[in-house]
Amino acid sequence: MHLSPAHIEQIRRTVGYAPEVMVKVTGGAGGCSRQGVIAHFNYIDRKGELEIESDEGRALGKGTGTHLFNRWDLDLEEHRKMADLFAVHRRKPPKLVHRLVFSMPPGTPPKKVLSAVRDFAREEFGLKHRYAMVLHTDEPHPHVHVVVKAVSEDGVRLNIRKETLRAWRNEFARHLREQGVEANATERAVRGREGRTLKDGLYRAAQRRASTVLSYRVQDSTRPMPKSPGGEKLVEIRKNVESGWYAAASLLERNGDRSLAESVRRFVAGMPPPPLDRERPPKQVERVPSREQAWTR
């Protein structure tokens, strides 16, 4: 089994606790109507206090929301949506725009975060989907809001899936590293930071550890799972992930990189224990007395 240079570098970043990037899509119905889109632009530019950067590289001032709504022909998209009876009556109306947030931990140079997002957006959306962005530094973690037109210039709708976000995280981290910022994009379970939910994909992929030895593709095997009835599955998943890490350490050692192999072992030893549902105290339910019981009190 062979670990590629790219896998080894990601191992090095992960066990060295390199800052993890964050990419998310904000929910709600704010991207589905003229009022919602313009309100979101007013929110991210703080009602004209901050400059929004367009996909043409221009800084836009006050009134950006209405200007971009018209310039992106979103009024036509809204009319098409209203004319489509299926779109009107469906449970979730089609979006006019997608609202994204790219974020890094506190201490990351904000301008480099913006530059990385700018490069990412140009490669991902350039000449396809109209987009605009604005940098926020009013919180400890610098982050960039990006608004992307949901329908491309060729009429293709952008569908954002979990695999899409995973790929975007990797690309955002790569662009940050090109800016000289240490950045990583690994799944939480790989770092021993399981959330409350894990996907069946993780469980199945972890079961295949003997054949893949993770090959440091463990990050591809960690996906959110449906809620487990207890902590047993989380414990088993953790054991499989740890086995994959130890297998990678053995490969590194055989290849002569004993220092990194030891770092991997220390990293695994420092993982917090997985949360166990059975360890949570039972929820106390206050019983409401019946009418007869109430009268006897």
Side-chain angles (χ1 to χ4, degrees):
M1 185 64 64
H2 176 68
L3 292 173
S4 71
H7 288 153
I8 292 174
E9 283 306 309
Q10 188 157 20
I11 289 175
R12 199 182 304 278
R13 288 194 300 270
T14 304
V15 301
Y17 300 96
E20 293 284 335
V21 303
M22 188 278 287
V23 180
K24 70 177 181 179
V25 181
T26 59
C32 301
S33 67
R34 175 187 178 89
Q35 181 180 3
V37 171
I38 293 177
H40 184 65
F41 275 121
N42 289 338
Y43 164 72
I44 64 175
D45 76 354
R46 297 297 190 256
K47 296 184 178 180
E49 293 181 6
L50 302 176
E51 289 184 343
I52 290 184
E53 181 179 319
S54 72
D55 51 6
E56 298 169 331
R58 293 188 298 176
L60 306 175
K62 204 165 185 177
T64 292
T66 302
H67 169 76
L68 289 179
F69 190 93
N70 295 329
R71 187 170 179 81
W72 291 0
D73 295 326
L74 292 178
D75 53 339
L76 298 179
E77 295 296 333
E78 190 169 40
H79 290 156
R80 290 192 190 102
K81 183 182 71 172
M82 296 304 296
D84 183 351
L85 294 179
F86 176 73
V88 171
H89 295 291
R90 71 171 56 167
R91 196 168 190 178
K92 289 184 178 181
K95 292 181 179 295
L96 298 176
V97 300
H98 291 290
R99 300 173 297 171
L100 314 176
V101 181
F102 294 75
S103 178
M104 278 293 284
T108 310
K111 290 185 178 179
K112 292 192 175 184
V113 175
L114 178 60
S115 295
V117 175
R118 183 185 296 121
D119 293 341
F120 166 85
R122 183 172 57 250
E123 288 188 6
E124 187 68 28
F125 307 124
L127 302 179
K128 293 182 293 185
H129 292 267
R130 302 303 305 270
Y131 64 88
M133 68 187 71
V134 60
L135 170 67
H136 279 192
T137 57
D138 54 346
E139 296 182 26
H141 58 284
H143 56 283
V144 177
H145 289 267
V146 180
V147 180
V148 183
K149 183 179 177 181
V151 177
S152 74
E153 299 303 282
D154 296 327
V156 179
R157 180 168 289 276
L158 174 62
N159 293 313
I160 303 175
R161 299 179 174 86
K162 290 178 181 178
E163 293 76 10
T164 309
L165 287 173
R166 188 175 295 109
W168 286 359
R169 288 185 71 232
N170 284 321
E171 286 301 295
F172 179 35
R174 178 176 68 84
H175 285 294
L176 280 165
R177 292 195 295 271
E178 290 177 352
Q179 294 287 329
V181 177
E182 192 176 20
N184 203 19
T186 55
E187 301 296 331
R188 289 176 60 86
V190 177
R191 294 176 275 122
R193 305 285 176 180
E194 293 96 343
R196 287 192 172 185
T197 59
L198 295 169
K199 264 196 177 175
D200 289 334
L202 169 58
Y203 181 77
R204 292 193 296 269
Q207 295 297 320
R208 299 193 297 268
R209 71 191 187 284
S211 60
T212 63
V213 196
L214 290 193
S215 205
Y216 204 65
R217 293 180 185 177
V218 68
Q219 71 271 17
D220 296 329
S221 72
T222 53
R223 298 182 177 131
M225 294 176 77
K227 288 186 177 180
S228 171
E232 292 79 7
K233 180 175 283 190
L234 291 177
V235 172
E236 185 175 0
I237 290 170
R238 170 59 67 80
K239 287 180 179 177
N240 291 332
V241 170
E242 289 180 359
S243 295
W245 273 115
Y246 285 129
S250 297
L251 282 175
L252 290 166
E253 199 163 40
R254 286 200 297 271
N255 292 336
D257 199 338
R258 293 186 177 181
S259 176
L260 183 55
E262 184 58 32
S263 295
V264 168
R265 294 188 179 99
R266 286 197 300 268
F267 176 79
V268 177
M271 285 182 176
L276 301 180
D277 290 348
R278 64 172 178 266
E279 291 183 352
R280 296 175 186 169
K283 184 177 180 180
Q284 299 295 325
V285 179
E286 182 179 354
R287 296 183 178 275
V288 178
S290 64
R291 182 175 298 179
E292 291 79 6
Q293 291 172 327
W295 279 109
T296 58
R297 290 188 176 184

